[in-house]
Structures are given as structure tokens and as C-alpha cells.
Amino acid sequence: MTDIYGAAPAVEEPEDKAVYADYVDGTDPVMHRVSLELSRSHLNIIMPDGERILWPLDEVRALKDQAYSDGVVLAQGFDDMARLKVDNPFVAKELRAVAPRLNRAQPVTNWGRIGAWASGAVASVALIIFVLVPIMADQLATYLPPEGEQALGDATFEQIRGALGRENAAVRLCEDSDGLAAIDAMVDRLAPDDDLPYPVRIAVLDHELVNAFALPGGRVILFRGLIDEAENPEEVASILAHEIGHVVNRDPTRDALRSAGSIGVLGLLFGDFAGGTVVLMLANQLINAKYSQAAETGADDYAHDLMRDAGLDPAALGTIFQRLMDEYGDAEGIAAHFASHPQMIRRIESAQAASEGGEYGLPVITEAQWQDMRSMCGDSHAEQDAPKDDENGGGRIERRVDEPDAGRGGGTLGGEN
């Protein structure tokens, strides 16, 4: 039909008011194209065959972490596996407005079971760190080839020299031939060769740190500051005997393996987040304190025996510890718990007890050899330790026992390192 002007009237197409979505029932992989109706209390899902599925609006929830920024994926409650995917952003917006509990989290009702699992996890980690890692480290330390331990010790030694150096220069080795000969004479008097798993190699670093430590592979490091601090060669010999005890027991290698194992386990747990490094370091220090204290006590006992067998008074180990304790104090309370060494007072008492009833003969080295040892670093350290002028009129570098022993192998002299 046409109007009087001969033109057909315009006829608008009716709008499609139906809303569609995709539905899976959770029992088979078939996705159904369904239509939706919304009432005041329910979301009606109309299947292709006309079946109606009613979801109460207060039970409908939106699944999180879905890749539909405009749409939404819905489920009924927390146990039903059926899913409804709504791609229409207008419908999704409407559903978010009318469904009162769409974003609610699943309630936690099994706190007892969670607590049991958490306790089991903590116990498992404690078992790994405090039992399995030490056992494995002790076993592996005996199987590692000496060449591998020596290579590890050499690499760590160079790292320590670099860390303690200044102005991008590694700390200098004291290599005066007479001083080295005096150290060789001291080792010959102690005569530890029958106990050593590999030859001991002693180096003296030109640094004011009052310390000594052992590294994997038989390396023993003495610092100029320690030799300067000693009042007689027997005190240096007692420290040297202590570090040789670490070499004999292969404590440096065990300590390196324990540290690597415990840090690896803790790293898996804590990852790398803000403050995580601090947590790892603190926890690892607490873990290793127990084993380091046991290793230090064992090295002290070895030093006492080695000194007595050489006709030297083991009390010398106590006298140098006494002076260090008088100057720097001892680790008390929580500090003692975290310290990697036993309290100095106990070590002093042990050295005095080991000295009782013994007969001690000649000095460990001659007076001339002692002077050669004390001067083996030359005059270079005098310039390093000399007061330097500044705006306040000068200053000085003090000897310390609290400086970190970078790349620690088998333990150090000071009680709070």
C-alpha cells in the first residue's frame, strides 16, 4: 500500500529484547546458548529445549581472575560446577547491581584442618633446615674432592681480599720471607700433619682486623691486627691451633654447604620481596649459630690438645680472649643466642681448665722469630692506621672484632662476629 504521494510508509524493525549467554552444566563439555530472564529474586536460565534453571540472586557469585573485563562469569554458590558466561557488558553491569553477594569470598569453615596443615608445613621446613640439611652437609663434606674444596677456598679468599681492600685494591698479603719462616716454625712445633685431610696453607693479610678464620681446602687466614694484639707467640699459636682444628674437622666446607642449603630452602619460602633479604639473613644466622657454636667448641678442644701435645700452655687461648672480652665485652642474652661463637667467658674457662696439671717447655718460636712475625707486614700498615686530618682535627682507625668475616668458612676469633 502507498499513500497519496505514492510512497510506502516507513516500518521499524522490532528490537530483540532477549538476552543471551553461554552455559555449561559442569558435567559435560557441551556449551549451550541460553537466554536469560531476571526477576526480583532469581536469575532464570532458559535452555534451548525450554527447561528453566533458577539461580537465586543471593547465591550467584562472580568468578575472579577471569579474562572478561566487560563481561562476567557466574556460578551458583561454591560447590556447583555449572558456569554461565555473560558477554553482554550491559547485562553484566545489571547483574552486578542486583546480585547482593556477587563478589563474596568463600567462607572458611575448616580452620582446624588449615591449622593442622600449617603446623605440618612448619614442622617439615624445620625438619629440613635443622636436621636434613646438616646431615646432608656433613655427608657431602666427606665426599667432596680436596681439589674442589681448595678451589672454593681460593675463590673465597680472593673475594675476602677484595671486600676488605680499599680504593678498588685488594688488601695486601704480608709475604716477608722471615715472617713466613716464623709461621712455618710455629706450625712445625704444633705438628698437626697427622690429623689434616689436606695441607694447611696460611696467609697473613695486612689489615687491622683482630681476627682469624679458616676457609675450605685448608686455607687459614691471620690478620695483622691479631698479631699486633697478641702479647706473645703462644697466643698466636693457640689461635692458629684453633683454626687448624676447623680444617681438621672440615668445618669450613660443612658451614658453606649448610648455608647454601638453608638459604635455598628459605628462599623458596620467602622469595624476593621487600624485607625478604633481611628475613633470610636473620633466619640463616639463627640457624647456623647452633652449628657454628658446636664447631667453635670442637675447634677449641682440638687447640687445647694440640697445644698440650706440643708442650705449650693452652691457657694462652684464654688470655687473648680475656683481653678481647675486657675491651669489647661478651655476648649476653639474645645477642649470645644469635652469635656464631660461644660466650667468651666459657671459652676462657675451658682454656684454663685444659691448662691445669700440664708441664710446658720451650716457647713455640724464638724471640727473634717472634719479632720477624710481628714485622712481616712492614711499615705499610702504619700509614693506613695513621690519624687522618679532617675538619674536626683528625681521627683514627680502631681495631675491631665486629667487622663481618666476608665469605666465612669455618669460624672466626671474635665472640660476636
Side-chain angles (χ1 to χ4, degrees):
M1 179 183 297
T2 62
D3 60 16
I4 60 174
Y5 297 103
V11 178
E12 294 184 0
E13 292 288 336
E15 292 184 2
D16 186 359
K17 299 295 185 180
V19 174
Y20 297 97
D22 293 316
Y23 174 82
V24 290
D25 61 11
T27 60
D28 63 63
V30 178
M31 181 172 289
H32 304 279
R33 190 66 174 173
V34 298
S35 59
L36 304 179
E37 290 180 356
L38 187 62
S39 71
R40 293 180 178 273
S41 60
H42 288 78
L43 174 63
N44 302 325
I45 304 172
I46 305 172
M47 301 294 291
D49 60 1
E51 178 188 0
R52 288 176 174 266
I53 301 172
L54 302 183
W55 282 5
L57 287 178
D58 60 357
E59 294 183 7
V60 175
R61 66 184 182 93
L63 299 186
K64 298 182 182 297
D65 301 324
Q66 299 297 316
Y68 302 100
S69 59
D70 295 328
V72 65
V73 178
L74 303 176
Q76 180 184 10
F78 296 98
D79 299 325
D80 192 349
M81 296 302 295
R83 298 292 184 264
L84 182 68
K85 185 180 74 169
V86 180
D87 290 324
N88 189 314
F90 301 101
V91 177
K93 182 178 180 180
E94 180 69 15
L95 287 170
R96 290 189 175 97
V98 299
R101 305 175 65 189
L102 195 67
N103 296 315
R104 74 190 187 279
Q106 183 172 4
V108 179
T109 57
N110 54 343
W111 284 108
R113 180 177 297 180
I114 293 174
W117 279 106
S119 299
V122 172
S124 299
V125 173
L127 177 67
I128 292 172
I129 291 177
F130 291 101
V131 179
L132 296 182
V133 167
I135 291 175
M136 292 177 64
D138 290 342
Q139 294 295 323
L140 287 174
T142 60
Y143 289 107
L144 286 179
E147 297 81 6
E149 291 186 69
Q150 290 170 351
L152 176 59
D154 292 344
T156 307
F157 176 59
E158 293 304 324
Q159 290 178 354
I160 292 170
R161 289 187 63 197
L164 296 177
R166 298 173 181 174
E167 297 179 357
N168 298 322
V171 65
R172 191 176 68 92
L173 279 169
C174 301
E175 298 180 300
D176 175 74
S177 59
D178 292 335
L180 294 176
I183 291 177
D184 289 341
M186 183 177 287
V187 175
D188 290 342
R189 176 69 182 276
L190 292 171
D193 292 347
D194 292 341
D195 302 322
L196 291 170
Y198 25 59
V200 65
R201 296 174 294 163
I202 301 171
V204 178
L205 294 182
D206 189 11
H207 195 281
E208 69 272 14
L209 187 62
V210 182
N211 215 339
F213 55 84
L215 294 174
R219 271 200 178 274
V220 173
I221 312 303
L222 301 177
F223 288 91
R224 166 177 49 83
L226 172 66
I227 298 174
D228 292 344
E229 181 74 23
E231 292 186 348
N232 54 65
E234 283 70 32
E235 290 184 346
V236 176
S238 68
I239 298 298
L240 188 56
H242 170 92
E243 301 305 334
I244 291 174
H246 283 306
V247 174
V248 170
N249 295 324
R250 299 179 104 161
D251 292 328
T253 303
R254 288 186 169 90
D255 186 68
L257 293 173
R258 289 184 189 121
S259 297
S262 58
I263 288 177
V265 172
L266 292 171
L268 289 175
L269 293 176
F270 292 104
D272 186 14
F273 56 90
T277 302
V278 176
V279 173
L280 291 176
M281 292 177 61
L282 185 62
N284 188 61
Q285 178 65 16
L286 175 60
I287 292 164
N288 282 329
K290 173 183 176 182
Y291 304 110
S292 293
Q293 289 177 14
E296 293 299 323
T297 299
D300 281 352
D301 292 340
Y302 179 86
H304 301 158
D305 294 340
L306 196 64
M307 293 282 285
R308 277 198 306 265
D309 292 343
L312 302 170
D313 189 354
L317 189 62
T319 59
I320 189 168
F321 284 163
Q322 183 68 57
R323 288 200 311 281
L324 291 173
M325 188 178 70
D326 291 343
E327 184 173 358
Y328 302 105
D330 202 353
E332 299 290 346
I334 191 67
H337 186 60
F338 277 85
S340 61
H341 298 67
Q343 286 183 292
M344 285 237 188
I345 188 63
R346 298 206 308 268
R347 304 177 76 180
I348 293 168
E349 292 171 351
S350 296
Q352 292 172 344
S355 174
E356 295 177 358
E359 296 182 1
Y360 310 110
L362 298 174
V364 61
I365 55 177
T366 67
E367 181 62 26
Q369 289 173 321
W370 173 231
Q371 295 306 318
D372 289 337
M373 184 183 297
R374 290 180 66 84
S375 61
M376 66 181 299
C377 294
D379 296 330
S380 64
H381 66 276
E383 180 179 341
Q384 293 179 11
D385 292 343
K388 297 183 178 180
D389 294 335
D390 57 22
E391 61 183 5
N392 295 321
R396 66 188 181 90
I397 300 174
E398 297 180 353
R399 290 194 296 266
R400 305 183 299 276
V401 294
D402 58 350
E403 185 168 334
D405 48 335
R408 180 166 59 91
T412 55
L413 167 64
E416 296 189 45
N417 279 2

